[in-house]
Amino acid sequence: MRIAPLLAALVFCTPVLAGPKDVVRPYPAQKVSADTYVIHGPQGLPSAANQSFMNNPAWIITAEGVVVIDPGSSVQAGRMVMAQLRKTTKKPVTHVFNTHVHGDHWLGNQAVLEVWPNATLIAHPDMIRQAKAGADAFWLDLMSSMTNGYTKGTRAVIPTVEAADGQEFRIGGKTFRIHSSDDAHSKTDLMIRIVEDNILFTGDNVLNRQSMNLRDGTFKGVIKATQRALDLDAKIYVPGHGKTGDRTFVAEQKAYFDILMTEVRRMYDEGKSDFEMKPVLAGKLKAYKNWAEFETNLGPMISLAILEIEQE
Ligand SMILES: [Zn+2]
């Protein structure tokens, strides 16, 4: 009986660690071109139901090794991604790109290093800076609370190598060209083009049939980035969320933003307030009403558009 208090103390002092079997349910990888695979996560916010997993992890198999882009939202999601990756190649992961600071895209880094501890992690310099300045704890806490603690055991493994706009990483015979900005979806965004395959990974600057949460970004920047994605004229576009496709969905997002900004500007000039604008915009944007998170993001988008117009 005397051992009981000691046991209790041990139980309460032991940090919660993710066990090796602690992994989200498997999602299939889709081969989107000769050397590139994408797992299209379910669209929506992280939840207990989706076990935190809702982004589009991808990998590119080069002559020397594998390059991973955005391995997911938690160590549990990253482990699922690594298990699917290993079904497609025996080569080691040598590099990981994180498209931006939002945790659904990079908290899976830990799972990559569990298997390949020497992989190089690359991101926007402001992503690295913000992660070190508290965005790491913010996203770990948010992910855990949104999933009722499912992601416990996840640690923030922050990239160490900075990627600049226009920089090219030559890896295993492929060229990864960076198109970055500091005013788009999260102000820490990389778009990555594989030159030889003409594939563009847009990160969350472009989503497919999903309305964007722009609380950390600007319309001005994300519209510019969307146009840049179109100008690059890629054969294949891999969005941060939603299905991979051709330029059609990129042009759809551009049209959506153009309608929204034009209409907000017109009504702002007429002296209308945001709550008067909302029903008008819901009508003008009705072609997009079935997009994921359309309803949730419409109000905040209008407020942001007004703020940006006022700052012009
Ligand atoms: Zn995201």
Side-chain angles (χ1 to χ4, degrees):
M1 291 307 283
R2 289 176 61 198
I3 206 164
L6 179 64
L7 267 178
L10 274 174
V11 168
F12 288 111
C13 291
T14 306
V16 184
L17 295 172
K21 289 190 182 135
D22 202 356
V23 51
V24 313
R25 76 181 74 90
Y27 290 79
Q30 211 179 317
K31 194 169 185 173
V32 299
S33 87
D35 307 309
T36 301
Y37 293 81
V38 180
I39 301 180
H40 295 96
Q43 281 172 280
L45 298 173
S47 64
N50 63 30
Q51 298 175 311
S52 79
F53 182 61
M54 32 63 81
N55 81 310
N56 288 345
W59 60 91
I60 300 95
I61 302 170
T62 78
E64 283 162 26
V66 186
V67 178
V68 172
I69 298 181
D70 285 355
S73 53
S74 59
V75 69
Q76 294 84 356
R79 284 174 180 154
M80 182 275 287
V81 174
M82 290 304 101
Q84 301 298 54
L85 182 153
R86 294 173 93 174
K87 291 179 188 168
T88 64
T89 179
K90 296 274 178 284
K91 290 179 180 171
V93 173
T94 54
H95 297 78
V96 178
F97 286 97
N98 292 146
T99 59
H100 62 293
V101 75
H102 292 162
D104 51 323
H105 296 260
W106 67 276
L107 292 177
N109 287 352
Q110 179 186 353
V112 181
L113 295 203
E114 279 180 347
V115 193
W116 292 283
N118 297 323
T120 303
L121 309 184
I122 308 164
H124 192 293
D126 291 337
M127 180 280 175
I128 296 172
R129 190 180 48 74
Q130 286 187 22
K132 286 179 179 168
D136 54 348
F138 171 84
W139 280 101
L140 286 170
D141 290 349
L142 186 64
M143 204 54 77
S144 177
S145 71
M146 290 180 91
T147 60
N148 296 335
Y150 178 81
T151 61
K152 275 213 168 60
T154 300
R155 286 186 292 107
V157 179
I158 301 171
T160 54
V161 174
E162 298 182 355
D165 189 35
Q167 191 172 349
E168 289 184 346
F169 293 82
R170 294 278 306 166
I171 304 166
K174 290 190 191 285
T175 312
F176 294 77
R177 181 170 237 278
I178 303 300
H179 298 273
S180 72
S181 52
D182 55 12
D183 60 355
H185 170 73
S186 69
K187 300 183 182 169
T188 66
D189 304 281
L190 302 183
M191 299 197 292
I192 303 154
R193 179 164 169 257
I194 304 168
V195 175
E196 291 76 9
D197 303 322
N198 202 9
I199 300 179
L200 184 70
F201 291 84
T202 66
D204 280 4
N205 281 345
V206 187
L207 311 178
N208 189 349
R209 299 186 64 79
Q210 179 165 328
S211 168
M212 193 177 287
N213 180 339
L214 255 178
R215 70 168 178 246
D216 297 328
T218 70
F219 268 111
K220 195 168 144 271
V222 87
I223 289 171
K224 209 164 55 187
T226 309
Q227 185 59 53
R228 192 170 186 185
L230 285 170
D231 292 345
L232 288 169
D233 204 20
K235 192 171 72 185
I236 298 164
Y237 289 86
V238 183
H241 302 269
K243 293 281 175 257
T244 293
D246 63 19
R247 59 188 285 117
T248 311
F249 76 85
V250 187
E252 275 175 6
Q253 173 170 296
K254 178 70 173 36
Y256 175 108
F257 287 154
D258 286 345
I259 293 169
L260 192 132
M261 279 313 277
T262 306
E263 290 299 316
V264 170
R265 197 180 295 280
R266 180 181 64 76
M267 290 187 277
Y268 179 82
D269 289 342
E270 289 171 2
K272 295 224 167 66
S273 55
D274 51 359
F275 66 88
E276 292 171 297
M277 294 181 188
K278 200 174 167 187
V280 178
L281 278 160
K284 298 272 184 195
L285 293 168
K286 65 175 183 298
Y288 306 91
K289 73 175 191 311
N290 294 325
W291 283 22
E293 296 176 65
F294 175 83
E295 207 39 57
T296 323
N297 288 330
L298 185 57
M301 274 183 154
I302 295 168
S303 307
L304 180 68
I306 293 171
L307 198 70
E308 286 187 31
I309 290 166
E310 282 173 344
Q311 285 167 349
E312 279 172 359

